[in-house]
Amino acid sequence: MLIFAASDKGGAGRTVTSANLAYHRALAGDDVCYLDFDFGSPTAAAVFDVVGAREATQARGLHAYLTGEISEPARIDVWSETEHQVLSSPPPGCGRLVLMPGDVSGGEFATGDDNLRRCVDLLMALYYEFDLVIVDLSAGRSYAVDMTLEATAQPEMNQVMARWLVFHRWTRKHVAAAASLVYGERGIIAGGVHRGHDEDALRAAVRFVRAAVPDPESPLWSQVSPTQSAWMRKTDEELKQLASSLGVGYSQSLGSIPLEPVLLWREQLITDEDVLDSQIANQETWQALIQLAARLTDDKCWEQA
C-alpha cells in the first residue's frame, strides 16, 4: 500500500508523525519504506537518526533520481545505519525499515514526462517490494503533490492501492488550511480529478490526522485556573464544530496525536524505552501512534461515513 503524507503548512507534525507510524508498522513485522519527497526541506533522516548515513548518500537521493542525475536512488537501512541506540537493536520479528532520503541541495521542480516516468517506476517497484510505502510530501500545493497525483492517475497504477493522510495541528488556522488543501479550488481532490482520478474514489482515500492536540481533561492542564480551563474546553468545542463544518471532522479523521513535548522539541521516534524506562514520553502518545499505525490498512476506518 502507498500512503501519501501531506499538509498545507510546515510544522503540522507530518514528518515526525508519519516516521513514527513507519516505525510502528516495522515493529509489527511489516516491511516498510519511507520516501522523503519533501524536496525543498528533506528532514526525515534526522527523525530516524541516520544523519551520517544520509550525508554519505548526498547527491544520490530522491531529488537526484527524479531529475535524472542518477539511475537508482540511495537506500538507508534504518536498523543498521541509525545512530539511535534503541533503534539499532530491533526486536526479533520486526520487518525492514528503509529510508530513501532527499537531497539537501535539491529543491522543488515542475513535473515533466521524464520525471513522471521515473516517479511511476519507483512507486510501482516499491509497492510490490514492501508491505507499506510512506511518501512524505512537501507542504502545501507543491510540485511533489502534483507529481504523485499525476503518477497515481497513470493507467498502470490503477490497481495500486493508495491513500492520503493530511496532517494539521489543532488550531483554527491549521484546520482551515487542511480543508483548503483537500477541498479547495486547487486542492488535492480538484487536482486529482483534473489528472484523471475518480472523484469519489479519491475522496474516499483521504483522511485527516490531528497532531499536537491538547486534552483539557489531562493532568497536564490540571493546574490552570478555572477561567483558563473553561476557555480551553470552549475553544476545543469550537474547533470541533469548525472541523465538522469544513469536512475535517471526526468522521473524516483517522486519528489524533496528543500534545507531546518529545515530538515538539526533539522531533524523534518515540520508543518503548522513552515511555516505560526514561518516561520522557507519555503512554497516551505511544498508544495513539500504535492505533493510528494499525488504522492505515484497516479498511473499516476508510469506509465513507
Side-chain angles (χ1 to χ4, degrees), residues 161-224:
M161 181 173 289
R163 289 170 172 170
W164 290 73
L165 292 184
V166 177
F167 293 82
H168 64 87
R169 297 187 63 172
W170 195 227
T171 70
R172 289 186 298 176
K173 181 172 68 174
H174 275 261
V175 168
S180 178
L181 176 62
V182 175
Y183 306 120
E185 183 178 347
R186 297 176 54 247
I188 290 172
I189 302 299
V193 171
H194 176 71
R195 290 167 173 82
H197 284 273
D198 177 79
E199 182 173 351
D200 291 337
L202 186 55
R203 284 181 179 273
V206 176
R207 288 292 183 274
F208 297 89
V209 176
R210 302 171 181 176
V213 180
D215 179 4
E217 308 298 331
S218 71
L220 180 64
W221 304 103
S222 62
Q223 302 303 314
V224 302

Side-chain angles (χ1 to χ4, degrees), residues 100-258:
M100 288 191 168
D103 295 290
V104 173
S105 58
E108 292 285 344
F109 56 91
T111 304
D113 291 341
D114 291 341
N115 309 135
L116 178 62
R117 176 44 48 195
R118 294 186 191 97
C119 182
V120 170
D121 290 345
L122 179 65
L123 294 178
M124 289 285 291
L126 296 177
Y127 178 80
Y128 289 108
E129 180 181 351
F130 291 88
D131 299 306
L132 189 66
V133 179
I134 297 180
V135 186
D136 182 9
L137 302 170
S138 306
R141 295 164 176 80
S142 64
Y143 287 126
V145 171
D146 289 343
M147 178 183 291
T148 49
L149 283 171
E150 187 80 36
T152 50
Q154 299 306 300
E156 59 266 48
M157 296 197 72
N158 283 344
Q159 302 305 313
V160 171
M161 181 173 289
R163 289 170 172 170
W164 290 73
L165 292 184
V166 177
F167 293 82
H168 64 87
R169 297 187 63 172
W170 195 227
T171 70
R172 289 186 298 176
K173 181 172 68 174
H174 275 261
V175 168
S180 178
L181 176 62
V182 175
Y183 306 120
E185 183 178 347
R186 297 176 54 247
I188 290 172
I189 302 299
V193 171
H194 176 71
R195 290 167 173 82
H197 284 273
D198 177 79
E199 182 173 351
D200 291 337
L202 186 55
R203 284 181 179 273
V206 176
R207 288 292 183 274
F208 297 89
V209 176
R210 302 171 181 176
V213 180
D215 179 4
E217 308 298 331
S218 71
L220 180 64
W221 304 103
S222 62
Q223 302 303 314
V224 302
S225 70
T227 301
Q228 287 176 312
S229 179
W231 178 85
M232 288 184 65
R233 289 180 174 84
K234 180 175 182 293
T235 300
D236 188 56
E237 287 302 318
E238 290 174 348
L239 281 170
K240 290 177 181 177
Q241 293 174 13
L242 175 64
S244 179
S245 68
L246 294 176
V248 191
Y250 178 79
S251 64
Q252 293 301 116
S253 175
L254 197 65
S256 63
I257 305 300

